């Protein structure tokens, strides 16, 4: 695998032409770069296409074949007409080309007027005109759903759920991890077994009974129904405990000598020392909660408590024809994870690789 | 862009901002909880403290994981449409018999609950292709990203990015691309081909369900394999190079055998996740056309929650079936992990 490492020339050209020493470009080098370029295009391309599309007007989205950039037809205000008229480039039979505005279209003939001489209308067959277009970014795709739909409510709910659930998760998981890591007590092994045993129980196989429990507790159609049930993640307890085991016991003994209470030892000494592990769990918790779908779909049935994901799904069902709104809202939904990714990617990827969580 | 040190988690340092961000809520809550815990310690003494630290977590666990696990069995042997167990009549194994009743088990149309069997077969097809293709491409990607290439960090980040996206966002992105007037059909028309109605043709729907799921999850498994590759001692490769060993042989004799424990973990993790497929495909195809991409979890969801008559008993019975499959896979995973740790 280390064949390229042997080449001293590290410029891009040097790497592209890296060989196995006999002067020929080995097929694996070509394959590597073709694969990487195609891979990046495939991974980012769809997201870029989504973002570009989200800035198109409704008319622009219905165009086939679609254009790459958000283009819109220029409209001009012509004297004597109340509405702005769409501008076209018209090629006349004698070969002259003029920019004209369309007044109305009847079948295959459109009535056009020169914006400079508004008095005179001309009949032009529609295949002789070509719309004049310019970059036009449809910000209203983003602003309108904020006014007309519950989008802000969904966003708000998602933020509340993510923040509250992450706080509770961190607190109770770190407390349990502290209890299991620092003390020798009767029943510790039983508790550990219990934690490991529940490590692999996915919500998908306990949907019905969990729904019953949540209903009995009166939490259906409240955000608590989404926040509470997933808080005690065995993965979190396990991860934090493994980390806390590495903390030197002398520190804790010294604190006890100084008459620190057990709670103070937990939050003044053990917690700060476990921050790297806690940060990993925090990032995961945020991702889990922000992206959660199946469980909220079951317990949230009223639109005022929808989270962003459920709202988006409902959007695309109801507003199938209004893709311009759906696309813009999808972009909003992917902004937070993209920001987290940009700032903390090194952290996330090492966290995943070392703990095997998702 | 720095994804270079996957194999050395200890070298990670946090930014001060992340530290502060993680610290303030902890401080806030801790200050509030300090008083009751001191009080408890004064009454019960240090020996009882671990129980109080574990208690909140155990209450949550018990209420939302362990208790439901038992109630699930109770549900699966009762009938009727009431949610509350007390109002549900005991029916014994009737739900399971109902699910199992088939004239010919290989043909879902002959089953009494044909959607359940359709779901099982669809899930099997999905799992088979999704897991094998995803592991294959994760391996190729990890091998390539492990080479000493320029901008390696950027490439790693690129392949990992979709893992972070929510299933709904993933599904909507691809739905937008695959629409009748979508950009992919524009490409086909540009090449002089006919448009394909991807979500009308059952085989295309299944193809895209598998494709999109691989697209969204591949980066995660690539990362695990990459960590495994970086743990292989470099002197093995140097020795092979000195002996003039062919790269193909190096791959089969050094890389693959040493990576095999990681490969097994990846395969089993991918299996466990794949059997539970729901979110992406549900938003992408809605299970359609017809029942072509309807999987087990969607069957449970529809039967228990999304149909006119909410058949909780049947949904719970199907959950138990799924649970048994997952339990077996989990045992497999534990065996694999134990073997790896021994080696």
């Amino acid at each position: 695998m280390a064949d390229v490492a042997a080449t001293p020339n590290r410029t891009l050209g040097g790497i592209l032409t890296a060989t196995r020493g006999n002067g020929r470009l080995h097929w694996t080098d070509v394959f590597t770069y073709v694969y990487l370029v195609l891979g990046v295009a495939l991974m980012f391309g769809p997201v870029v296409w989504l973002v570009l599309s989200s800035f198109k007007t409704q008319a622009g989205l219905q165009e086939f074949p679609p254009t790459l950039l958000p283009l819109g037809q220029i409209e001009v205000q012509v004297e004597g007409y109340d509405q702005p008229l769409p501008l076209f480039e018209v090629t006349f039979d004698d070969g002259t080309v003029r920019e004209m505005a369309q007044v109305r279209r009847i079948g295959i003939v459109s009535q056009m007027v020169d914006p400079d001489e508004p008095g005179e209308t001309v009949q032009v067959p529609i295949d002789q005109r070509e719309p004049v277009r310019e970059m036009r970014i449809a910000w209203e795709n983003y602003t309108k759903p904020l006014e007309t739909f519950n989008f802000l409510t969904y966003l708000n709910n998602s933020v509340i759920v993510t923040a509250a659930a992450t706080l509770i998760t961190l607190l109770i998981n770190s407390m349990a991890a502290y209890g299991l890591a620092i003390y020798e007590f009767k029943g510790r092994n039983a508790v550990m077994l219990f934690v490991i045993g529940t490590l692999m129980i996915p919500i998908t196989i306990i949907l019905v009974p969990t729904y019953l429990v949540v209903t009995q507790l009166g939490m259906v159609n409240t955000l608590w129904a989404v926040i509470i049930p997933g808080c005690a993640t065995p993965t979190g307890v396990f991860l934090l405990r493994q980390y806390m085991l590495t903390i030197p016991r002398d520190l804790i003994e010294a604190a006890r000598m100084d008459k620190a209470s057990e709670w103070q030892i937990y939050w003044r000494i053990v917690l700060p020392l476990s921050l790297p592990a806690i940060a990993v769990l925090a990032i995961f918790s945020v991702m889990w909660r922000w992206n959660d779908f199946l469980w909220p779909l079951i317990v949230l049935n009223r639109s005022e408590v929808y989270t962003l994901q459920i709202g988006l799904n409902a959007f695309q069902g109801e507003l199938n024809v209004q893709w311009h709104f759906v696309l813009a809202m999808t972009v909003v939904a992917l902004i937070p994870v993209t920001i987290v990714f940009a700032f903390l990617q090194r952290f996330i990827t090492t966290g995943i690789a070392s703990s095997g969580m998702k | 862009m720095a994804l270079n040190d996957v194999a050395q988690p200890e070298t990670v340092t946090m930014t001060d901002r992340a530290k502060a961000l993680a610290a303030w809520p902890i401080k806030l809550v801790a200050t509030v909880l300090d008083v009751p815990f001191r009080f408890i310690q004064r009454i019960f003494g240090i020996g009882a403290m671990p129980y109080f630290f574990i208690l909140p977590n155990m209450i949550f666990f018990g209420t939302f994981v362990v208790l439901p696990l038992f109630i699930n069995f109770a549900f699966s042997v009762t009938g009727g449409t009431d949610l509350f167990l007390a109002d549900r009549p005991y029916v014994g194994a009737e739900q399971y018999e109902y699910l199992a009743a088939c004239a010919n088990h290989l043909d879902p149309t002959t089953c009494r609950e044909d959607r359940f069997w359709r779901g099982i077969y669809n899930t099997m097809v999905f799992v088979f292709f999704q897991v094998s293709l995803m592991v294959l491409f994760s391996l190729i990607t990890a091998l390539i990203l492990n080479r000493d290439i320029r901008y390696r960090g950027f490439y790693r980040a690129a392949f990992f990015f979709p893992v972070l996206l929510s299933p709904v966002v993933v599904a909507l992105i691809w739905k937008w691309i695959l629409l009748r007037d979508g950009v992919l059909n524009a490409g086909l028309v540009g090449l002089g081909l006919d448009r394909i109605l991807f979500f009308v043709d059952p085989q295309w729907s299944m193809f895209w369900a598998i494709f999109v799921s691989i697209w969204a999850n591949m980066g995660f498994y690539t990362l695990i394999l990459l960590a495994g590759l970086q743990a292989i001692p470099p002197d093995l490769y140097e020795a092979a190079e000195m002996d003039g060993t062919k790269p193909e042989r190096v791959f089969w004799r050094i890389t693959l055998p040493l990576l095999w424990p990681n490969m097994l973990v990846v395969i089993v993790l991918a299996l466990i996740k794949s059997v539970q497929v729901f979110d992406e495909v549900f938003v992408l195809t809605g299970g359609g056309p017809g029942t072509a991409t309807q999987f087990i979890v969607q069957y449970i969801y529809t039967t228990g929650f999304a149909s006119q008559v909410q058949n909780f008993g049947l949904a719970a019975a199907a959950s138990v079936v799924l649970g048994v499959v997952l339990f077996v896979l989990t045992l497999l995973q534990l065996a694999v992990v134990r073997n790896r740790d021994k080696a």
Side-chain angles (χ1 to χ4, degrees), chain A residues 167-284:
Chain A
L167 288 188
I168 298 175
T169 303
L170 291 182
L171 178 74
I172 66 173
N173 283 2
S174 66
M175 280 169 65
Y178 170 79
L180 288 167
I182 305 299
Y183 300 96
E184 298 281 342
F185 61 94
K186 229 182 182 173
R188 187 174 75 160
N189 290 338
V191 175
M192 272 314 289
L193 203 70
F194 188 58
V195 170
I196 295 171
T198 50
L199 207 60
M200 286 299 162
I201 298 173
I203 184 87
T204 41
I205 62 167
I206 47 172
L207 285 178
V208 176
T210 312
Y211 182 73
L212 168 71
V213 171
V214 166
T215 311
Q216 291 283 37
L217 295 173
M219 297 196 296
V220 169
N221 279 324
T222 67
L223 293 182
W224 290 114
V226 192
I227 294 171
I228 298 287
C231 275
T233 67
T235 340
V237 176
F238 202 68
L239 175 91
L240 294 179
R241 176 180 177 265
Q242 294 307 95
Y243 198 90
M244 286 176 184
L245 284 176
T246 65
I247 294 172
R249 305 301 297 256
D250 303 353
L251 268 177
I252 292 153
E253 290 306 322
R256 284 205 183 118
M257 301 278 222
D258 292 343
K259 300 252 188 271
S261 73
E262 297 303 298
W263 177 264
Q264 280 172 328
I265 295 173
Y266 159 69
W267 82 273
R268 288 244 170 113
I269 296 169
V270 176
L271 265 194
L273 287 174
S274 314
L275 262 186
I278 286 176
V280 169
L281 182 61
I283 292 168
F284 277 105

Side-chain angles (χ1 to χ4, degrees), chain A residues 51-58 70 135-147 324-325 327-329 331-332 335:
Chain A
V51 175
L52 283 175
S53 303
S54 74
F55 289 110
K56 291 180 181 175
T57 57
Q58 195 170 10
M135 278 281 280
R136 160 124 164 58
I137 292 177
W139 293 112
E140 66 270 22
N141 292 353
Y142 285 84
T143 51
K144 259 225 181 110
L146 295 181
E147 296 156 15
H324 55 304
F325 292 144
L327 293 176
M329 296 308 96
V331 171
V332 174
I335 289 171

Side-chain angles (χ1 to χ4, degrees), chain A residues 108-120:
Chain A
I108 56 160
V109 177
S110 81
Q111 288 184 8
M112 309 202 87
V113 62
D114 192 321
D116 299 330
E117 302 160 31
E120 171 198 1

